[in-house]
Amino acid sequence: MAQQADVFKKLVAHCKEYGFVFPSSEIYDGLAAVYDYGQYGVELKNNIKKYWWDSMVLLHDNVVGLDAAIFMHPTVWKASGHVDAFNDPLIDNKDSKKRYRADVLIEDLMQKIEEKINKEITKAKKRFGDSFDEKQFRETNPRVIANQKKLNEIHSRFTKALNDNDLEELRQIIIDYEIVDPVSGTKNWTEVRQFNLMFSTEMGSTADGAQKIYLRPETAQGIFVNYLNVQKTGRMKLPFGIAQIGKAFRNEIVARQFIFRMREFEQMEMQFFVRPGEELKWFEYWKEKRMKWHKSLGMGDEKYRFHDHDKLAHYANAATDIEFKMPFGFKEVEGIHSRTDFDLSSHQEYSGKKLQYFDPELNKNYVPYVIETSIGVDRMFLSVLAGAYNEEEIEGKDGKKETRVVLNLPPVLAPVKLAVLPLVKKDGLPELAKKIVNDLKFDFNCQYDEKDSIGRRYRRQDAIGTPYCITIDHQSLEDNTVTIRHRDTMQQERVKIEKLRDIIADKVSLREVLKKLV
Ligand code: GAP
């Protein structure tokens, strides 16, 4: 775990050093849990968004896009339940004066116990080799049995407390299992209380009677309030979906782990409107589709898992998360929720406007049910970088060992697709290199680099995840060939210049990844 924490620290430093992510307003010492994306970060983010958008909107003829405003009528947030119930349970440590989310403290404890169990299993696996029977070990090892029992107890009390909204019981779990403040090391806790996560501001001048409005905490409500506009103007028939990418804002109290939990972030959400009674079938459909979307990036299937919700929101009848193996454990990247007709019915009630759909096949009106897929762009960004970051021992100059830091990004998401590098800055090599860039820049994000030794230039490209480096040497002038170096294997091959476009397009084009999804 310590090693993993170390990797995470290095990843954060790497993001800054190589122009992926900077702290916001850094010259003023930053703003907590707010970040800016640098020159490579913005390219990676745009590529993630395009992959999502095209997979939703281009590949489904019954899914269309939308771009709703961030500001919405304040009653939207009353109807959605956010004004009354978009809360986190908070607890303060009286000694350190630090504030924590009570649920996160308990979840962290459960994760620690699970890690202890896994450690025992890994140790035993090593000791017993092929003859190891994990099931039997779990049922007989006293330490594993004791930890599993403890875990089950905490889990069932925790789930019940969350479902009952029982803040006292949450505190009691913290007390009973002797959770200490990581800063002060004490158990001197306050009561648990609720804290609303929405940011508000005022619209209009005070003299005119300014209106309190909220910065949207999710993009979904913009879709719900436009559902009939889109259905009617697009002549959409159920089932159909509306997809949207945009900023969301939450006054997160425990903002930590870099861009994992931010106060300003971006979501890619799709609401899929279905006939009542068919929602669980569509829930399964989108679960499978979304997992395939993640796995098609080729980062390793074992890095993903589903986590079904123990606590269902009062309006949901099924919910699951897609989790990714981050350096700090498996964490939610995307949520898939069956939201019933809660949102549309509630907006119908608060607005007094009918939001029903006329189903020509059933010859009746009803409020559709909704399946939602909701993924954070920033979390996806973090998962991609965490999965791609690698430090490799390689043989350097004079046979000496050196470390190569490489981002093995899925080529389709890489910010720069190819770097064109003249071996020397003379003899017409830069001219030929620039000619190649000028020819390929309409197809790919290319970079020209002539500074430093070729080895250092390769390292710079490895560090930003460029899948291909094209090197121009003297032979290139004679026979119109260049070497192409593959980032992951570092293998080089000689190819004709006129073949470059096809070779690279084959590996980096979105088309190839999208084809795997259908
Ligand atoms: N409309 C449903 C909804 O907003 P959510 O589980 O609260 O559901 C969906 O959020 C996704 O948005 C999460 O899976 C996560 O990827 C992202 N997300 C939520 N809060 C975030 C935060 N504070 N910082 C970064 N991403 C966040």
Side-chain angles (χ1 to χ4, degrees):
M1 222 38 202
Q3 230 177 355
Q4 288 297 305
D6 204 34
V7 170
F8 188 52
K9 259 193 207 152
K10 285 185 187 170
L11 178 63
V12 175
H14 190 88
C15 278
K16 173 144 186 260
E17 188 179 346
Y18 285 94
F20 282 88
V21 183
F22 306 125
S24 158
S25 340
E26 198 188 4
I27 57 168
Y28 294 99
D29 297 331
L31 184 65
V34 186
Y35 291 91
D36 299 338
Y37 286 84
Q39 65 277 24
Y40 298 123
V42 67
E43 297 290 345
L44 174 55
K45 209 175 173 207
N46 284 342
N47 292 341
I48 290 173
K49 290 194 266 187
K50 184 153 174 54
Y51 177 40
W52 184 85
W53 186 267
D54 287 1
S55 73
M56 284 293 177
V57 179
L58 295 192
L59 298 192
H60 297 96
D61 51 14
N62 59 350
V63 177
V64 293
L66 180 78
D67 184 15
I70 287 172
F71 292 145
M72 301 182 77
H73 193 285
T75 312
V76 166
W77 305 110
K78 195 79 193 139
S80 67
H82 283 82
V83 170
D84 296 321
F86 194 50
N87 300 321
D88 272 347
L90 296 189
I91 191 164
D92 289 32
N93 182 273
K94 292 182 196 163
D95 298 319
S96 69
K97 311 269 182 275
K98 292 267 175 210
R99 182 163 288 179
Y100 299 91
R101 268 176 60 178
D103 56 335
V104 172
L105 285 179
I106 299 169
E107 274 168 5
D108 285 352
L109 173 69
M110 292 196 292
Q111 192 174 330
K112 271 190 204 140
I113 300 172
E114 209 171 332
E115 275 159 20
K116 271 190 196 162
I117 297 173
N118 289 338
K119 227 170 154 183
E120 293 282 354
I121 292 171
T122 313
K123 244 176 31 195
K125 241 183 211 162
K126 256 196 203 149
R127 203 168 38 193
F128 295 114
D130 286 345
S131 62
F132 181 65
D133 180 343
E134 186 175 324
K135 186 169 175 288
Q136 191 191 13
F137 184 76
R138 279 181 182 273
E139 285 166 3
T140 51
N141 181 280
R143 280 187 302 272
V144 171
I145 294 173
N147 274 322
Q148 190 62 53
K149 185 164 170 271
K150 188 170 167 187
L151 188 61
N152 294 347
E153 275 165 15
I154 303 174
H155 185 260
S156 90
R157 280 181 68 180
F158 179 55
T159 314
K160 185 165 181 333
L162 288 181
N163 279 324
D164 298 347
N165 217 353
D166 186 346
L167 301 184
E168 258 175 47
E169 171 65 355
L170 280 182
R171 179 172 191 273
Q172 203 52 51
I173 298 173
I174 290 171
I175 303 292
D176 290 351
Y177 290 94
E178 304 191 328
I179 296 178
V180 295
D181 173 9
V183 177
S184 67
T186 71
K187 295 174 255 176
N188 197 5
W189 297 109
T190 61
E191 297 304 306
V192 177
R193 63 202 180 288
Q194 296 287 23
F195 178 87
N196 193 286
L197 297 183
M198 278 199 297
F199 284 103
S200 64
T201 185
E202 293 193 338
M203 188 176 263
S205 71
T206 320
D208 291 339
Q211 198 176 20
K212 180 175 175 180
I213 53 164
Y214 298 98
L215 274 74
R216 66 181 179 198
E218 62 171 12
T219 61
Q221 299 303 324
I223 296 180
F224 289 126
V225 299
N226 277 296
Y227 129 84
L228 258 197
N229 284 338
V230 174
Q231 190 271 319
K232 291 210 162 118
T233 55
R235 292 182 296 121
M236 309 298 291
K237 281 208 172 82
L238 248 58
F240 75 92
I242 304 178
Q244 175 169 230
I245 300 178
K247 290 272 184 160
F249 305 83
R250 296 182 189 178
N251 196 2
E252 298 282 2
I253 298 311
V254 189
R256 57 176 186 182
Q257 286 156 333
F258 190 39
I259 55 172
F260 182 78
R261 199 175 296 287
M262 302 159 88
R263 295 199 166 108
E264 173 180 338
F265 57 101
E266 213 165 353
Q267 289 185 315
M268 306 188 281
E269 298 201 296
M270 196 271 308
Q271 312 294 323
F272 197 70
F273 301 91
V274 303
R275 260 186 204 161
E278 293 189 355
E279 71 276 11
L280 293 180
K281 177 183 90 184
W282 287 110
F283 176 73
E284 291 303 323
Y285 172 89
W286 282 108
K287 248 180 100 166
E288 190 252 325
K289 276 264 165 198
R290 295 303 304 147
M291 188 56 110
K292 199 165 173 191
W293 183 87
H294 286 275
K295 289 186 174 171
S296 293
L297 287 173
M299 311 246 314
D301 290 3
E302 73 291 348
K303 294 200 171 110
Y304 303 89
R305 71 179 189 193
F306 284 116
H307 173 245
D308 294 334
H309 285 204
D310 291 323
K311 185 198 174 197
L312 286 179
H314 59 283
Y315 51 79
N317 62 5
T320 194
D321 295 335
I322 293 177
E323 295 186 337
F324 183 83
K325 194 169 184 203
M326 300 277 190
F328 40 90
F330 270 98
K331 295 284 166 194
E332 172 192 346
V333 172
E334 171 156 9
I336 299 148
H337 315 119
S338 173
R339 294 180 75 130
T340 67
D341 61 348
F342 170 81
D343 301 89
L344 290 181
S345 295
S346 189
H347 285 306
Q348 188 168 257
E349 189 187 323
Y350 275 83
S351 67
K353 310 271 166 32
K354 278 226 171 327
L355 294 178
Q356 291 188 338
Y357 169 78
F358 176 72
D359 190 327
E361 279 172 40
L362 300 182
N363 196 24
K364 82 182 210 204
N365 284 303
Y366 54 78
V367 175
Y369 272 44
V370 173
I371 304 301
E372 166 182 77
T373 70
S374 174
I375 171 169
V377 181
D378 314 86
R379 275 202 201 165
M380 179 66 195
F381 184 104
L382 183 59
S383 69
V384 166
L385 276 184
Y389 183 87
N390 272 310
E391 290 179 7
E392 292 173 2
E393 279 257 298
I394 56 163
E395 203 157 296
K397 252 197 196 157
D398 317 323
K400 276 195 201 134
K401 291 255 177 267
E402 56 178 69
T403 306
R404 170 171 98 119
V405 177
V406 54
L407 292 184
N408 299 109
L409 290 170
V412 68
L413 299 183
V416 178
K417 304 300 187 208
L418 78 152
V420 185
L421 319 171
L423 197 58
V424 290
K425 273 192 263 182
K426 55 183 185 182
D427 304 337
L429 302 189
E431 287 75 8
L432 179 57
K434 283 178 189 161
K435 187 169 170 297
I436 293 174
V437 169
N438 283 332
D439 188 31
L440 295 180
K441 71 183 177 193
F442 299 97
D443 301 283
F444 317 110
N445 191 338
C446 307
Q447 209 172 67
Y448 172 82
D449 189 4
E450 59 175 28
K451 197 168 174 284
D452 297 325
S453 72
I454 194 76
R456 290 183 77 165
R457 282 181 271 168
Y458 285 154
R459 291 290 167 279
R460 276 203 292 270
Q461 296 300 330
D462 288 342
I464 61 167
T466 307
Y468 297 107
C469 286
I470 311 299
T471 308
I472 317 299
D473 55 18
H474 290 93
Q475 191 183 329
S476 310
L477 300 174
E478 287 160 23
D479 64 3
N480 269 329
T481 62
V482 292
T483 59
I484 178 164
R485 173 189 180 267
H486 300 255
R487 176 198 64 198
D488 298 345
T489 58
M490 292 190 286
Q491 298 277 310
Q492 303 194 20
E493 55 178 325
R494 221 163 170 103
V495 299
K496 285 268 181 212
I497 292 174
E498 72 254 27
K499 292 258 189 275
L500 277 177
R501 179 179 287 108
D502 287 347
I503 295 172
I504 294 164
D506 186 47
K507 295 285 185 307
V508 307
S509 88
L510 187 51
R511 193 169 179 272
E512 295 308 311
V513 188
L514 289 176
K515 270 162 68 182
K516 287 195 232 161
L517 298 179
V518 289

